[in-house]
Each structure stands twice: as structure tokens, then as C-alpha cells.
Amino acid sequence: MNHFEVRGGELHCEATPLSRIARAVGTPVYVYSRATLERHYTVFRDALVLAGLGDPLVAYAVKANGNVSVLRTLGNLGAGADTVSEGEIRRALAAGIPPDRIVFSGVGKTRGEIEFALRTGVSEINVESEPELKLIAEVAESLALRAPIVFRVNPDVAAGGHAKIATGKAENKFGVSFAEAARLYANASNHPHLNPLGVACHIGSQITDLAPFEAAFSRMRGLVEALRAEGMTVERLDLGGGLGVPYFDMPDPPGPADYAAMIGKVMAGLESVRFAFEPGRVIAANAGVLLASVTHLHERPEGRRFLVLDAAMNDLIRPAMYDAYHDIRPVRATDATPVPCDVVGPICETGDTFTRDRPLPPLKAGDLVAFMSAGAYGAAMASEYNSRPLVPEVLVDGDRFAVIRRRPTYDEMLALETPAQWR
Ligand code: LLP
């Protein structure tokens, strides 16, 4: 459930008409609903608690939408942060999320990032490989502390979704194999500068079937038991993120309650473990839209109709990158008969096509449209391609809104560049 709905003939975010935001901030612009973010977080966490999973750490995946105001909204409810770079750790800290709720993941952490994470005192560093384990041990020794580590294990489970976002197969670059895990865990247990806390997995994103999760989580439980049987202490089990959301083109996928109930069953009777989760999309996707204006409608005499928007693939890359579906809604509701359109941006490549042959009501220059479900991996993946200023972001709270990231000026866009001083 989200708080984008038509009121009085116009699409609103909570009690704020989207046209009001377009007038004040211009388009394209991302618009997020505070109430929806809060609801999604609360529903997710409550479902886990209800399923008997104790007091789980819900470390929201910053990569989905790392705007500091979004992080602060979730952090105020008790959310932690799953981070994959020094920049993301800094965002989480800037949002007031305490270090003991921050998880640091990622396959290629640099020495500098590891040092920063250890000095910050993050709750766990998720180790993805043996070379990385060595590096963490070295850095921890140089700082004279014990690094809290969790081994990310690759459960070798295929998890549907798009190939570019599946992470849990042995051929993917993520995590140590089950075979390596026990040996590395034992080595780390005997190391004066490493403090192995537990194990983690993350099998992919936009997963709309519980079976692969169940397979992976059962294997993870088996691993916890096997490690314990060898005398090792395992107190944390991080089950990653990945739960899918409805993108309006599919029947409702399993929600947090189904997901949590399945985990409750798989983990029944497993004692003395604190569970951690790293949800991103399920919290943020349906809490945001990308608002755009129609620049013009180009109707070819042969019949193709191109609806050209002022938003482009640099603002929302998911359709170009993953053939992702986003519902596109006119902000002003109409009963006019829909006609098929190709919805495109102004960027000079054919990939800048959001969709083809999508039935839409007739729209003209200046009309507003909203790309639904764009709150996750939307602004976070935006770029300045074609020298288009980074898209701004707005957070709505009832009938008020705040510009939480403004549109840069052209001077700001050019400010980091220095012409080389040679001829
Ligand atoms: N934890 C780890 C270690 C991850 O790699 C990810 C996402 C998450 C958590 C959060 O997954 P979520 O709950 O959001 O599915 N850009 C792509 C999605 C990439 C996901 C990468 N990892 C897209 O737009 O679909």
C-alpha cells in the first residue's frame, strides 16, 4: 500500500497535488512519500517480529535510495543501514543512524574504506572473500582493534529476477563458497584482530517467489549448525534483502508477512541468533515517483507516436538497463481512450526509451506524468549523461513538502572541471 492516489481528478502524493511540486521545483523531479516509507519499514519489521524472529536489525539498503532525508526518516524508526562504500557509511552517519546499526557489505572494499568503517565502529563488516579477510585483519591490527566480521556466503541458489541483479549463484562474484566458509570462520576465530560474529547471504533483487529464499535460508541455517557443531560461536545471521515489489504489471508478489512467516518456519528452534535484514526496494520503490512533463507528442504519418518527455534514461535508467516496467500515469486523470505510445526521453540514443506501445490517454505538451514505483534505484542511479543536471528530490509529508536535494545549477555542474593549462 502506498500514498499516491487520485484526489479530485489529480494524482497526489499524500495530501499534496503533484502539480504543486512541479510548479515549485520544475520537472523532472523525484517525489517521495514519508508516510509510505514509514509504513513499508514498519510493516516489514513488524512481520519479522510477529514471525518470532526476535529483535531483528533491519538495515535498510542505502543503495536503493540514499538521500539523507530518506535515511533519517527510516533511522528515526530504528532502521539501520546496509552500506557498500565509504560514501554510503557517511550518508548513514549524516542521517543520524548510529554505527552499531550499520552493516558494511560489498565485494571490493578498499583499505581506506575498511579503515574508515573500523574507526567508525560499524556493527559488522560482511566479508566477501579470503583476500578481503586478510586485508581486514591487517587494517584491524594496524588500528589495534578486533574487526567484527560476518562471512557472506554464496548459497548457490538461482533466484529468478533479471540476470544483472541475481547474486546468489556460484558463478556470481559475491561471497565465499560454503566449502570455504568453515575454514575461514575457524581461522578468523583464532585471530587476535578478527571477531567473527556470524554469516550472511543475499541472493538477488526483485525476487517474487519465496522458494529460492527458502532454499538459501535453509542452507544458511545448516551452516550455522555445522559451525556450532565444530565449536564456533555464531550469533548473527544476516539474510540480506531482495524481496520483490509489485510493479503494476504483475499479480501481487508475496509480501513481507509471507516472507517473514516462511523465515519463521525455516529458523524455528534456532537459538541465540540475532537476525539482520537488508531490504531496499521493498521499503523505497513504491514510496516514490519520477514526475516528468511532456515536451511534445511526435506523431509520424506512418503511425508511430512518440511521447517525448523532459525526463530521460539518465534520470531513471531501469527500463534501459533491465528492461524494467514502470507504470506511467497522467497526473491529471482522464477518461479519454488510451492510444499506444512510445514514451521516450531527449537523450541521443535509442536506449532512451522508457516503453514502447504503451496505451496512454492523449497527452500534450506541458502535461505531467508520473513514473510509479521509482523510489528505489531511481535517483540513486541517476547521472548527468548528456550534461543534464542531476535530477532533484522532494519529500512529502501530508500537505507540505521539502526539496531534499535541489537541482544543481549549470555553473555547479561545471565547477569541478579545470581546463588543462597546456596548449
Ligand atoms: N544487500 C545486498 C548485499 C545487496 O547487494 C542488495 C542489492 C540489497 C541488500 C538490497 O536489495 P533489495 O532489497 O533492494 O532487492 N539496480 C537494480 C537493483 C540492484 C540490487 C543490488 N543489490 C534495479 O534497479 O533493479
Side-chain angles (χ1 to χ4, degrees), residues 346-393:
I347 281 184
C348 307
E349 55 184 281
T350 304
D352 189 22
T353 298
F354 292 112
T355 180
R356 284 169 66 81
D357 290 322
R358 177 82 59 90
L360 286 173
L363 290 160
K364 55 179 189 327
D367 287 347
L368 295 169
V369 296
F371 287 85
M372 309 307 288
S373 319
Y377 307 109
M381 296 180 80
S383 76
E384 287 181 343
Y385 185 40
N386 273 214
S387 290
R388 294 164 48 83
L390 263 193
V391 58
E393 298 168 276

Side-chain angles (χ1 to χ4, degrees), residues 83-347:
T83 61
V84 292
S85 65
E86 178 169 338
E88 288 193 351
I89 299 175
R90 285 180 184 272
R91 282 186 174 278
L93 294 172
I97 296 179
D100 65 3
R101 286 197 241 139
I102 298 179
V103 172
F104 186 30
S105 316
V107 279
K109 304 173 197 77
T110 63
R111 180 182 290 273
E113 288 179 315
I114 292 167
E115 186 170 335
F116 180 78
L118 288 175
R119 282 188 195 279
T120 300
V122 299
S123 152
E124 68 188 50
I125 299 187
N126 288 1
V127 182
E128 303 241 7
S129 65
E130 187 164 8
E132 184 175 81
L133 182 65
K134 289 201 176 114
L135 185 57
I136 294 171
E138 244 176 75
V139 178
E141 184 170 1
S142 75
L143 298 175
L145 45 76
R146 278 182 86 202
I149 55 169
V150 164
F151 285 93
R152 175 165 177 188
V153 180
N154 187 317
D156 196 14
V157 163
H162 191 283
K164 283 186 190 161
I165 55 177
T167 50
K169 282 291 287 169
E171 72 221 37
N172 302 135
K173 64 182 176 178
F174 302 94
V176 300
S177 67
F178 264 76
E180 287 172 291
R183 174 176 61 85
L184 295 178
Y185 206 102
N187 289 350
S189 299
N190 296 323
H191 194 288
H193 294 286
L194 295 174
N195 179 21
L197 299 174
V199 286
C201 72
H202 169 79
I203 58 172
S205 198
Q206 186 53 17
I207 300 170
T208 53
D209 172 7
L210 293 182
F213 281 125
E214 192 168 350
F217 297 167
S218 305
R219 296 200 71 186
M220 295 304 290
R221 178 185 177 144
L223 178 63
V224 171
E225 287 167 340
L227 292 170
R228 284 181 171 173
E230 289 179 36
M232 284 172 261
T233 307
V234 184
E235 60 194 61
R236 199 163 296 179
L237 181 49
D238 178 341
L239 297 178
L243 184 61
V245 300
Y247 276 96
F248 300 93
D249 62 337
M250 57 171 75
D252 269 5
D258 313 298
Y259 171 78
M262 176 274 290
I263 300 172
K265 254 195 248 147
V266 172
M267 300 300 167
L270 184 68
E271 306 220 317
S272 310
V273 156
R274 180 163 195 222
F275 290 94
F277 294 87
E278 304 168 356
R281 191 187 314 262
V282 74
I283 308 286
N286 283 313
V289 302
L290 171 62
L291 184 59
S293 302
V294 175
T295 302
H296 58 250
L297 177 70
H298 174 187
E299 287 182 277
R300 288 234 182 91
E302 301 80 11
R304 280 215 95 76
R305 300 158 57 84
F306 297 97
L307 190 69
V308 184
L309 303 181
D310 63 358
M313 64 190 285
N314 71 301
D315 304 308
L316 177 65
I317 201 160
R318 302 193 67 256
M321 195 147 170
Y322 316 111
D323 297 315
Y325 180 100
H326 284 268
D327 192 22
I328 302 171
R329 296 195 187 167
V331 167
R332 188 133 282 291
T334 146
D335 299 332
T337 314
V339 278
C341 287
D342 291 2
V343 181
V344 302
I347 281 184

Side-chain angles (χ1 to χ4, degrees), residues 19-39:
S19 61
R20 180 142 72 86
I21 295 171
R23 270 197 306 279
V25 187
T27 54
V29 56
Y30 277 92
V31 180
Y32 310 132
S33 153
R34 173 183 173 177
T36 310
L37 286 167
E38 292 182 341
R39 185 188 140 78

Side-chain angles (χ1 to χ4, degrees), residues 386-409:
N386 273 214
S387 290
R388 294 164 48 83
L390 263 193
V391 58
E393 298 168 276
V394 161
L395 183 61
V396 169
D397 176 31
D399 61 0
R400 60 182 180 167
F401 68 86
V403 179
I404 55 173
R405 181 187 177 109
R406 67 176 171 78
R407 197 185 308 278
T409 65

